[in-house]
Amino acid sequence: MAEAVLIDLFGLKLNSQNNCHQTLLKTLNAVQNHHADKAKFLCIICCGNISCERGGENDICELETSNGLLTLLKEFETVSKPSMAASLYTIKQKIDEKNLSSIKVIVPMHRKTLMKAFIDQLFTEVYNFEFEDLQVSLKDGLLKQSTEINMITAHELEEIQNEIETYLRSLPALNGELAIITTPSIPDIFIHGFTTRTGGISYIPTLSSFNLFSSSKRRDPKVVVQENLRRLANAAGFNAEKFHRIKPDHASEVWIMGKKEPESYDAITTNQRGVTVAALGADCIPIVFADPVKKACGVAHSGWKGTLLGVAMTTVNAMIAEYGCSLEDIIVVLGPSVGPCCFTLPRESANTFHNLHPACVRLFDSPNPYVDLRKATRILLERGGILPHNIQDQSQDLNLCTSCHPDKFFSHVRDGLNFGTQIGFISIRE
């Protein structure tokens, strides 16, 4: 049974002719009878601007209602916006506020493919949609079942994407201004930084507001993450079209840019100017590497498994092998991550960190000791030959625990499965 029911009247002209009234009454009555008890959200989508156009025709939704229809309409929430992107995004917000995921869309056949194209862009696999045909009265006032359009052309899809992007760009930043943490340890020939959680458009509490990763398990669609990335690129000064994230597997695989891209990898290295590489983090450590002598850089995502597998030094060794970097020239910066105050592991797993160095583990005799990923990473880097003063992990906000600071950072430990993601990024200036 659907938790939310949407009736699409966005592109229709509905007048007071009896046949049209009866059709609309029949549809609304059916929705109310079948879904009112279970559905938590009943909604009608209308066009809020009678001058809006699509495909050269005016899309007008005029509801001239009788007393019976007016009474029935009070049971439905009406969303009336000047664009389909604005309407569906507003509806998505209302659905997310109620934490709903099962949605029925009642839509004219000729608009079903268009509606699906918008939904594919604005929703993720968290949501389950079913579609039902709506009989409509078109501009000639005659009741008829429209014909389904099965194809969206490349041009039409581009128009849909442009409409959505334009709308998202118009949205204000949430929860404060965009903030980027940088360190003077990395010279100005590089663009680098670590993001926080403010200044984006993501509105779901655990993702708000500068979430930079979308997946099938989260409610933030790729278009929202892309808009957040666009704003980051503008603020930091890099090209969002030349941006590459890791594809994490909590291991130690490195993608050396220019070579074949692995299916998954927790680190990237490059010496290409103008290309920005980024490591994800939401408790795991986003690590940035820079060699100002050979003009090469890299990033790594270091969770507890990746730390033990040596992802940080694997990245360093890749820079040495590929670009001729020297250990004494490589600067390593550890971004914000979960601290030993909040991160625990079962004793068997914590034992490996204790064997690395006893200082990496607190309360070792407990069933779930506290583990210091940052100390372990520094120890492994120093043992690998990175100079201690070239490892930056304490200044400014770099050493803040992500779990302890919900105002600044996302955290899987704190927020659970629907957590947001910040990044560490670096590029060589063009």
Side-chain angles (χ1 to χ4, degrees), residues 10-15 17 19-20 50 52-62 110 136-144:
F10 189 89
L12 307 180
K13 179 175 182 179
L14 300 173
N15 54 42
Q17 293 188 34
N19 55 6
C20 179
I50 62 171
C52 70
E53 297 184 358
R54 180 174 297 282
E57 296 181 359
N58 291 329
D59 287 344
I60 307 174
C61 177
E62 299 172 354
H110 73 282
V136 298
S137 177
L138 300 177
K139 292 187 177 182
D140 54 10
L142 298 175
L143 179 65
K144 58 183 177 181

Side-chain angles (χ1 to χ4, degrees), residues 84-90 92 96 116-124 127 129 160 164-165 167-168 203 219-224:
M84 196 64 189
S87 296
L88 278 176
Y89 195 76
T90 300
K92 183 181 184 296
D96 289 334
K116 287 181 177 179
F118 272 99
I119 286 172
D120 285 346
Q121 295 286 318
L122 289 170
F123 292 81
T124 69
Y127 308 86
F129 285 89
I160 290 168
I164 292 171
E165 289 171 7
Y167 174 69
L168 295 180
Y203 57 79
R219 289 177 176 258
D220 243 4
K222 290 180 180 180
V223 287
V224 167

